[in-house]
Amino acid sequence: MLFAFTAASLAIGVAAVAAQGGGNASFVDPTTQGGSFFLMATDGLGEPLNVVISGLSSPEVLTDTGFLNYARAVGFTTECFSLTLGTLFTANLGDGNGPQNQTMELRESFGNAMFGACIEMFLGGNHLRMFRQDGPQANTSALFLATSAEEGLFQNHTISADGYDVGRNIFANMAAGMTQFNGTSYNTTVQNLTGVLPVGSQGVNHGIAIDGNAFLLTVTTV
């Protein structure tokens, strides 16, 4: 069952987040500094960066190694036999670094951190690309995720119908509350970032409409 986060109970203003300042902020809104809440895909189209791991999370979670362990606790893992499928996408997070390649790409593990991504590769499932906001204009260390539900190998990993919002919701469902992997436990709280993206399909890769919202996750090691 997907979370039904309400604007009244969990909405958070992006301006208020940004006002905390780089280094002590959940994140800085990329659009205020020449960036975007979309990664750059193909033909001038984008895919929504619809989950943000707060820069106020435990510092170890925001490293590459720490995020990978957290992602495995949530139910994701590295590519099948380390084979990267598809194109490396870029994103400009408005931090002064300009467009940067994704830091990592992970797939749903189906409970198997070793080979689960092979299942996702063939059958489809959830999928994410991670980018880090750490440039001189917004050094928050926040992690921006482009999550999506996709079809399997024989459908060429096409994004599922409503796949961006569905992928976001699945990730939040899997992450919220207590999770653990390899001896580390995590507590994740989820807030709704309302209206940080445009509503509809204009400019969105594959012409898939989105609802304009993202989730802000704050992750604390326990």
Side-chain angles (χ1 to χ4, degrees):
M1 182 177 182
L2 299 180
F3 281 98
F5 299 114
T6 65
S9 61
L10 291 176
I12 185 168
V14 176
V17 174
Q20 296 176 48
N24 296 299
S26 296
F27 69 97
V28 171
D29 179 356
T31 66
T32 64
Q33 303 192 120
S36 176
F37 256 101
F38 286 95
L39 61 74
M40 288 169 271
T42 57
D43 300 324
L45 301 175
E47 298 189 1
L49 297 164
N50 49 19
V51 175
V52 181
I53 308 295
S54 169
L56 301 181
S57 299
S58 295
E60 58 268 35
V61 175
L62 304 176
T63 67
D64 287 355
T65 301
F67 175 73
L68 178 56
N69 198 78
Y70 172 67
R72 284 175 166 154
V74 170
F76 287 74
T77 194
T78 51
E79 295 273 33
C80 180
F81 297 111
S82 300
L83 297 173
T84 299
L85 301 175
T87 305
L88 291 177
F89 289 160
T90 63
N92 183 349
L93 300 181
D95 59 2
N97 281 338
Q100 296 290 308
N101 284 338
Q102 63 199 46
T103 300
M104 66 178 69
E105 184 171 353
L106 304 176
R107 297 181 185 277
E108 191 173 349
S109 66
F110 296 95
N112 187 326
M114 185 71 69
F115 299 113
C118 298
I119 301 173
E120 197 279 343
M121 183 180 71
F122 281 101
L123 299 182
N126 217 18
H127 164 268
L128 68 83
R129 302 172 193 266
M130 184 267 275
F131 303 83
R132 180 176 288 107
Q133 188 178 62
D134 61 357
Q137 296 178 13
N139 190 13
T140 68
S141 296
L143 307 178
F144 285 66
L145 313 182
T147 64
S148 58
E150 63 179 12
E151 303 298 323
L153 181 63
F154 298 107
Q155 291 79 36
N156 298 314
H157 295 118
T158 300
I159 303 298
S160 304
D162 200 24
Y164 298 121
D165 292 346
V166 168
R168 175 202 63 198
N169 293 346
I170 290 173
F171 187 92
N173 254 348
M174 296 168 76
M178 295 295 300
T179 55
Q180 72 84 29
F181 185 82
N182 196 29
T184 302
S185 296
Y186 305 93
N187 183 43
T188 300
T189 60
V190 181
Q191 293 174 287
N192 195 9
L193 296 170
T194 56
V196 294
L197 291 144
V199 176
S201 61
Q202 185 173 359
V204 182
N205 203 20
H206 306 294
I208 296 172
I210 58 176
D211 64 12
N213 301 325
F215 288 145
L216 176 67
L217 277 57
T218 304
V219 185
T220 306
T221 54
V222 180

